[in-house]
Amino acid sequence: MTEIEFKFLVPKERLQGLHWPVTCMFVRAVEFAPDDPVVRGIYAVHLSNRGNRREAIEQIDAAIKYGADDANTLYNAGLVYLDVGDYDKAL
């Protein structure tokens, strides 16, 4: 994979027009709504895409704890577990 291809796979930390880094916005969202599985699930996917696998697993486990019946949460959990190589949990 070339460096140019890799740049498009990893989301930017600072988006144009956004005053704060993306991770900072997720941290604020988790602090505002700590029991919201959607926030934690999307944050976990973001962390996984950025290469922070351990933190992504922590966030996705919390998302499952708060929203185990939510299809979106389970889908995001599958993506994160697939990314980290835990194929049994991804299913």
Side-chain angles (χ1 to χ4, degrees), residues 37 54-55 79:
R54 184 183 55 77
E55 294 175 42
L79 291 177

Side-chain angles (χ1 to χ4, degrees), residues 15-81:
L15 299 176
Q16 185 176 1
L18 187 63
H19 183 69
W20 303 102
V22 175
T23 301
C24 179
M25 299 304 283
F26 277 119
V27 169
R28 292 176 67 186
V30 169
E31 287 176 2
F32 180 75
D35 57 347
D36 187 353
V38 176
V39 170
R40 289 186 180 265
I42 297 170
Y43 185 29
V45 171
H46 171 74
L47 289 169
S48 180
N49 288 340
R50 303 275 314 151
N52 300 332
R53 309 287 194 258
R54 184 183 55 77
E55 294 175 42
I57 293 295
E58 290 173 8
Q59 290 299 321
I60 206 64
D61 287 343
I64 291 170
K65 174 183 167 187
Y66 294 122
D69 295 333
D70 181 34
N72 193 32
T73 300
L74 296 175
Y75 174 77
N76 286 334
L79 291 177
V80 171
Y81 287 129

